[in-house]
Amino acid sequence: MNAAQPPQPVTPAENRRRWQAVGVGLVAAFMTLLDVSIVNVAVPSIDRALHASPSDLQWVLSGYALTFGLALVPAGRFGDARGRRNAFVFGIALFTITSALAGLATSPTWLVITRLLQGAAAGVVNPQVIGLIQQLFRGPERARPFGLLGATIGISTAVGPLLGGLLIAVGGEEHGWRWVFFVNVPVGVLAVILGWRLLPGRPTGQPGWRRLDPVGVLLLGIGVVLVLLPLVQEQQWRTPWKWALIPAGLAVLVAFGLWERRYARRNQPLFDLRLFNLQSYTLGSILALVYFGGFTAIFFIFTLFLQMGLGYSALVAGLAITPFALGSAAAAVLGGRIVNRFGRPLVAIGLLTVVVGLAATVIALHLAPHAPAPWVTAGPLLVAGIGSGLVIAPNQTITLSEVPVGQAGSGAGMLQTGQRIGAAAGIAAVGSLFFSSLADSRGDWTTAFEQSLMLATGIIVLALIAALIDIWRNHNHKN
């Protein structure tokens, strides 16, 4: 793996300050990514408190992911151009305000609007965190902070249901869901203060681009919305015509690519398509898109299986996912430290470990159908979590290793946009199989979970095949 720039020596004071800045960024990333999954277990309480319709509840869940994905690339480019501290502080401030407003919601419409704004704020924050790591660290030394970021991603995704269940248990069934949002407020206020103090401003002498490619922003936004909308509304929109939006969205994204190529001849584009000339960036982006298609869907169906199928509480359902979170956190930190030594084969090992862990989960449930599911699945999910930790952080490090610092925000934004699209597609596909299998088996929740988990595992196998092909190509190239 080639580093874009060699490591630069820093003084102990500079090193301490940059790690403090990264610490603030990781806390913010954890908070915003947590809100992707923490609200899932609060849906029954929200339904009872606000008398929300199924469509309202779907928008509370999916609207966040939609606007999250919409904001990533424009926010990343803004941070590259005008300074990451400004974008970070604005995003966290907006996230904090909208979290408070969501907790105060008195109607479904109020809650949906605040969730849409909250998702957009999260989309502003996250590319700044990755861009910050690219800016403050060079070459191989990026592996450690990216390892911590990978652990943050894995933990936040997996422990959302657990934390949500704890808050609802403490706050009560009627108002506990409000604390799912209120918990962000003190953390957000602290992150705004520390972010302004610790994050570096725009480097002296770096020009801020006067234009930020408004046509590119519009085309990318329309394209992402058209692709994501039928995926996040898959259960609510029954008409098959919804799938026509995806090819329409892809056509708009092609137009976006053509515009960016033309715009780049005389101005700095929203996203520099030449990044896709870097094999590390292209393959890493594809791996992330496919892996998140299987990875995110697991928690969606597992929570449904435990709560709705087996009758476990939100707290127990969250605890059942904890082994995956613990394994992912520990392995992500390790993966960040050793990725420079092993490169892409480490990602392949991680993907294989995830596949083995998920396959073992299916086998364990099949062999012990009457045993408590949280206990039966704990060991296999721990194995899968360890594999996941060796995928997310190392793949992110490799993917962004050759991206110039001046394009770190937009490059990270596009990488994360792919992850959001993959997650939405995976949840739509795996969720659809889950519900259809549930209907076909006349309410057999275990069969429905096993079949949909096998599909999620198959999606991850596709990512493994892509990683193995890349390893094989690089091996032949060297020989």
Side-chain angles (χ1 to χ4, degrees):
M1 183 180 66
N2 297 323
Q5 292 177 286
Q8 300 295 320
V10 295
T11 66
E14 290 172 335
N15 187 53
R16 183 171 60 254
R17 187 175 180 88
R18 67 178 181 172
W19 275 107
Q20 289 173 340
V22 168
V24 174
L26 292 178
V27 170
F30 178 85
M31 183 170 61
T32 56
L33 292 169
L34 186 73
D35 266 56
V36 175
S37 60
I38 193 174
V39 180
N40 288 346
V41 296
V43 165
S45 294
I46 294 172
D47 187 19
R48 285 191 293 269
L50 301 182
H51 307 290
S53 68
S55 179
D56 292 328
L57 294 173
Q58 180 64 23
W59 272 105
V60 168
L61 295 176
S62 62
Y64 184 90
L66 180 66
T67 52
F68 191 136
L70 191 60
L72 286 166
V73 177
R77 171 48 61 204
F78 183 90
D80 290 339
R82 304 290 171 84
R84 295 188 177 94
R85 181 176 64 185
N86 295 336
F88 178 88
V89 170
F90 170 78
I92 286 294
L94 179 60
F95 186 84
T96 304
I97 293 169
T98 52
S99 294
L101 291 174
L104 295 170
T106 57
S107 70
T109 301
W110 179 337
L111 184 58
V112 168
I113 292 173
T114 53
R115 280 289 284 174
L116 291 171
L117 292 173
Q118 192 187 32
V124 172
V125 171
N126 276 270
Q128 315 312 326
V129 179
I130 298 178
L132 182 69
I133 293 174
Q134 293 282 92
Q135 179 180 336
L136 296 180
F137 296 85
R138 296 289 184 270
E141 65 179 3
R142 289 174 179 162
R144 186 182 173 196
F146 272 134
L148 293 173
L149 179 59
T152 300
I153 294 171
I155 294 173
S156 62
T157 305
V159 305
L162 171 59
L163 184 55
L166 284 170
L167 291 170
I168 291 171
V170 172
E173 285 295 320
E174 184 177 355
H175 295 294
W177 67 270
R178 297 185 185 275
W179 290 100
V180 168
F181 300 108
F182 285 150
V183 72
N184 294 327
V185 175
V187 180
V189 170
L190 188 61
V192 167
I193 296 170
L194 294 179
W196 186 257
R197 289 186 58 191
L198 297 174
L199 268 64
R202 193 172 67 214
T204 304
Q206 176 181 311
W209 298 306
R210 286 175 295 176
R211 297 189 61 191
L212 292 174
D213 189 9
V215 175
V217 171
L218 183 64
L219 289 173
L220 180 62
I222 293 173
V224 170
V225 167
L226 290 176
V227 170
L228 282 178
L229 203 52
L231 296 174
V232 299
Q233 288 289 293
E234 194 271 337
Q235 288 297 314
Q236 296 300 318
W237 292 359
R238 297 299 182 182
T239 173
W241 287 103
K242 64 189 174 188
W243 301 118
L245 294 178
I246 292 182
L250 294 176
V252 175
L253 292 177
V254 169
F256 165 74
L258 295 174
W259 168 260
E260 291 298 280
R261 181 170 294 180
R262 177 185 175 188
Y263 190 82
R265 295 172 187 167
R266 60 187 185 279
N267 293 292
Q268 183 68 33
L270 176 66
F271 177 79
D272 194 337
L273 295 174
R274 288 175 295 182
L275 289 181
F276 287 122
N277 293 334
L278 304 173
Q279 181 178 333
S280 59
Y281 185 81
T282 301
L283 181 72
S285 298
I286 293 171
L287 282 177
L289 185 151
V290 177
Y291 180 68
F292 270 73
F295 161 71
T296 313
I298 294 167
F299 306 109
F300 173 67
I301 59 173
F302 194 43
T303 302
L304 288 175
F305 170 59
L306 292 176
Q307 286 189 259
M308 299 178 66
L310 302 184
Y312 289 104
S313 67
L315 180 57
V316 173
L319 285 169
I321 301 173
T322 302
F324 188 102
L326 294 176
S328 178
V333 175
L334 173 64
R337 292 180 179 273
I338 64 177
V339 61
N340 291 311
R341 188 188 314 167
F342 297 102
R344 189 74 70 188
L346 180 64
V347 178
I349 291 171
L351 289 166
L352 179 61
T353 306
V354 174
V355 170
V356 170
L358 295 181
T361 302
V362 174
I363 293 171
L365 286 170
H366 193 72
L367 294 179
H370 303 297
W375 287 107
V376 170
T377 59
L381 286 179
L382 175 65
V383 173
I386 291 172
S388 185
L390 297 178
V391 174
I392 296 175
N395 184 63
Q396 195 156 243
T397 303
I398 296 169
T399 303
L400 298 174
S401 62
E402 297 178 283
V403 174
V405 172
Q407 297 173 327
S410 59
M414 188 62 77
L415 173 64
Q416 290 188 311
T417 299
Q419 292 173 357
R420 294 301 107 208
I421 292 174
I427 289 174
V430 175
S432 179
L433 176 61
F434 182 87
F435 290 116
S436 64
S437 177
L438 188 64
D440 293 342
S441 61
R442 297 181 180 179
D444 188 336
W445 287 85
T446 301
T447 298
F449 177 68
E450 289 176 357
Q451 292 184 357
S452 54
L453 185 58
M454 288 173 63
L455 175 58
T457 305
I459 294 172
I460 295 172
V461 168
L462 294 177
L464 173 60
I465 292 172
L468 292 174
I469 290 173
D470 179 61
I471 295 169
W472 176 75
R473 285 178 58 188
N474 286 336
H475 178 73
N476 286 348
H477 180 71
K478 291 178 181 179
N479 292 336

